Amino acid sequence: MGFKFQGFDFLHLDSSFTEDELLVRKTTRDFVEDKIVPIIEECFRDGRFPRELVSQMGQLGFFGANLQGYGCAGMSNVEYGLVMQELERGDSGLRSFVSVQSALVMYPIYTFGSDEQKNTWLPALATGEKIGCFGLTEPGFGSNPGGMTTTARKSDDEYILDGEKMWITSGSIADVAIIWAKVDDEDDRVRGFLVETDRPGFTAHDVHGKWSLRASVTSGLTLQDVHVPAANLLPSTGGLKSPLMCLNQARYGISWGAIGAAMSCYDTALQYAKMRKQFRGQPIASHQLIQEKLVWMASEISKAQLLSLHVGRLKDAGKVGHQHISLTKRNNVWMALESARISRDILGANGITDDYPCMRHMMNLESVNTYEGTHDIHTLILGQHLTGIPAY
Ligand SMILES: Cc1cc2nc3c(=O)[nH]c(=O)nc-3n(C[C@H](O)[C@H](O)[C@H](O)COP(=O)(O)OP(=O)(O)OC[C@H]3O[C@@H](n4cnc5c(N)ncnc54)[C@H](O)[C@@H]3O)c2cc1C
């Protein structure tokens, strides 16, 4: 069954958004309501990414939404954040697809690419005609990507890449992979390469048996003697800072996305609690313990909304630091995961079924808690910022 989403604006924050921002939110919310909500439980159950929605999302300007030119929508960072929020209200898997395409594939091409690379790839990625993935994590190196063992060796006017990447969103459906590798003759400096996925020696295999992000493709990549022209090097990449800049963009979007998942869980729990009767024919919403849970969620979601809006405005003003984004990702994903668990609890036995979105959000958010810097890695990033002492 499920309930029609009512939105959540306890603090009257809508008055802080511009008309354009509210329009972007409405457009995305309508898309989620019409196209994602009706199919998402089935996609999740079947472990299927709804690829048929890619070109529609492209038409709506969701890919590379906060980039300028090349067919991108040129949205502000707050507008982009609202797109992420609404998409994740539908499902974290759909939001993950858009995050990867935008922040982890289009952003590095836009920021580190040559004019030729930008002209070749960005318009096709903006429409969704082409799909991209981002290969940083390896089987042995997740939180510590600097340890990566993937290499790129220069030979005349080519690079030859060898290595393994793991947990790569959209890996097996991508036309192009941004592969991060240590370059042999540059003292193992990390650089980014555009690797067309039909090159000999490039293979992708999907991860099966996931209980999380089931409506998203997650793959392992093998690069065995993959030859790419020297022109496929992203020329302005240099060192681990380059992929970390991409992660910063993605984490910003995730911090908004998590609010969407939490809003969905809260809204479901509130409507359910007012309808479900236990003891003396009273709705469970009349019990103090249930009210305390609803109040916790409402408070935390409101605080997260304020945080993201503020950080979004800082980003639009060019004043945001990576530490602000770490704090927001860490806080908002934590509160969303807690909200999902609490709302699942309020729904009782019904909460474990896919008649309601709470448990799907909960399982999805376990991945969101882990990827793009785990909760604890963001604690360490913030600890280092505050003390000046790295404690990894
Ligand atoms: C669904 C999904 C999609 C993903 N998509 C992508 C993608 O598109 N591209 C990509 O490159 N990667 C992707 N990832 C990988 C993701 O970024 C990594 O999983 C993440 O960085 C954590 O690495 P790990 O899983 O190896 O965990 P580990 O690094 O092994 O960490 C395991 C645990 O140890 C803790 N830990 C690690 N180091 C420390 C420390 N110094 N101090 C205290 N605790 C520590 C962590 O917090 C965590 O709790 C994806 C992951 C998932 C689950």
Side-chain angles (χ1 to χ4, degrees):
M1 53 177 287
F3 303 106
K4 175 117 176 69
F5 181 60
Q6 306 293 319
F8 178 75
D9 184 23
F10 179 80
L11 292 173
H12 302 306
L13 282 177
D14 279 5
S15 60
S16 305
F17 290 119
T18 65
E19 271 180 32
D20 282 350
E21 287 163 353
L22 291 174
L23 183 62
V24 163
R25 187 181 68 183
K26 181 181 175 340
T27 306
T28 317
R29 191 170 288 185
D30 290 348
F31 170 78
V32 169
E33 205 56 43
D34 293 348
K35 305 289 180 183
I36 298 182
V37 170
I39 62 164
I40 192 59
E41 299 300 351
E42 198 180 325
C43 287
F44 193 88
R45 210 180 301 152
D46 296 346
R48 183 179 81 81
F49 169 65
R51 196 169 174 165
E52 65 274 17
L53 299 181
V54 171
S55 64
Q56 295 171 52
M57 292 195 284
Q59 276 166 21
L60 288 168
F62 293 168
F63 304 139
N66 57 349
L67 303 179
Q68 309 289 328
Y70 305 98
C72 301
M75 291 185 196
S76 71
N77 287 292
V78 170
E79 287 166 352
Y80 168 70
L82 287 166
V83 170
M84 295 293 151
Q85 172 187 287
E86 294 304 314
L87 286 174
E88 195 148 357
R89 201 271 294 180
D91 188 74
S92 306
L94 265 292
R95 199 271 308 137
S96 296
F97 177 86
V98 178
S99 285
V100 169
Q101 182 89 348
S102 304
L104 298 181
V105 177
M106 296 176 72
Y107 170 83
I109 296 173
Y110 184 86
T111 307
F112 307 121
S114 65
D115 284 343
E116 196 192 332
Q117 289 168 344
K118 291 183 209 181
N119 288 324
T120 305
W121 288 106
L122 291 177
L125 289 160
T127 58
E129 182 201 329
K130 299 284 184 197
I131 292 175
C133 70
F134 177 88
L136 179 66
T137 305
E138 299 188 354
F141 297 94
S143 297
N144 175 26
M148 73 175 67
T149 58
T150 299
T151 57
R153 188 161 38 92
K154 186 107 195 273
S155 167
D156 299 326
D157 54 355
E158 287 186 332
Y159 282 95
I160 303 161
L161 284 93
D162 280 284
E164 289 270 335
K165 298 290 177 183
M166 192 55 200
W167 303 108
I168 307 306
T169 301
S170 306
S172 67
I173 57 170
D175 301 287
V176 64
I178 306 280
I179 296 292
W180 298 94
K182 287 183 172 166
V183 180
D184 272 0
D185 57 358
E186 290 188 31
D187 271 348
D188 283 350
R189 195 154 71 115
V190 172
R191 304 200 72 183
F193 294 85
L194 284 164
V195 181
E196 297 87 350
T197 56
D198 56 2
R199 288 195 177 269
F202 183 101
T203 48
H205 59 275
D206 284 345
V207 177
H208 295 291
K210 291 182 297 174
W211 289 117
S212 179
L213 290 192
R214 290 181 54 77
S216 162
V217 174
T218 313
S219 318
L221 309 179
T222 303
L223 294 104
Q224 206 170 20
D225 227 12
V226 178
H227 291 238
V228 297
N232 280 28
L233 168 72
L234 289 167
S236 300
T237 54
L240 199 58
K241 184 167 183 285
S242 305
L244 294 183
M245 282 169 66
C246 305
L247 295 181
N248 217 33
Q249 301 300 314
R251 289 164 180 172
Y252 168 76
I254 289 168
S255 69
W256 280 91
I259 298 174
M263 281 162 62
S264 168
C265 291
Y266 168 79
D267 185 66
T268 303
L270 178 65
Q271 295 197 50
Y272 186 88
K274 290 203 258 187
M275 178 203 78
R276 173 75 177 165
K277 295 190 171 72
Q278 287 295 291
F279 294 97
R280 298 174 298 282
Q282 294 298 312
I284 58 171
S286 67
H287 302 305
Q288 291 180 355
L289 289 173
I290 297 285
Q291 290 190 5
E292 190 276 336
K293 289 174 177 143
L294 294 168
V295 169
W296 190 93
M297 286 191 274
S299 304
E300 292 300 330
I301 294 169
S302 297
K303 287 190 271 179
Q305 287 174 326
L306 272 176
L307 190 54
S308 279
L309 179 57
H310 179 69
V311 168
R313 296 273 185 247
L314 281 183
K315 195 166 181 337
D316 277 330
K319 292 181 179 165
V320 80
H322 72 88
Q323 69 279 10
H324 302 131
I325 292 175
S326 273
L327 188 142
T328 313
K329 191 267 182 188
R330 179 179 181 276
N331 178 77
N332 291 9
V333 177
W334 161 77
M335 81 81 196
L337 186 50
E338 289 302 310
S339 295
R341 289 170 178 159
I342 291 169
S343 64
R344 210 293 308 148
D345 172 70
I346 290 176
L347 267 65
N350 277 321
I352 72 159
T353 70
D354 61 9
D355 288 342
Y356 300 92
C358 308
M359 190 135 172
R360 176 171 50 81
H361 283 306
M362 187 182 94
M363 293 193 286
N364 282 339
L365 287 161
E366 292 289 349
S367 283
V368 182
N369 193 56
T370 285
Y371 71 27
E372 295 286 344
T374 68
H375 183 86
D376 285 345
I377 291 296
H378 286 293
T379 309
L380 298 177
I381 291 171
L382 288 163
Q384 178 176 5
H385 181 78
L386 298 178
T387 65
I389 306 168
Y392 302 94

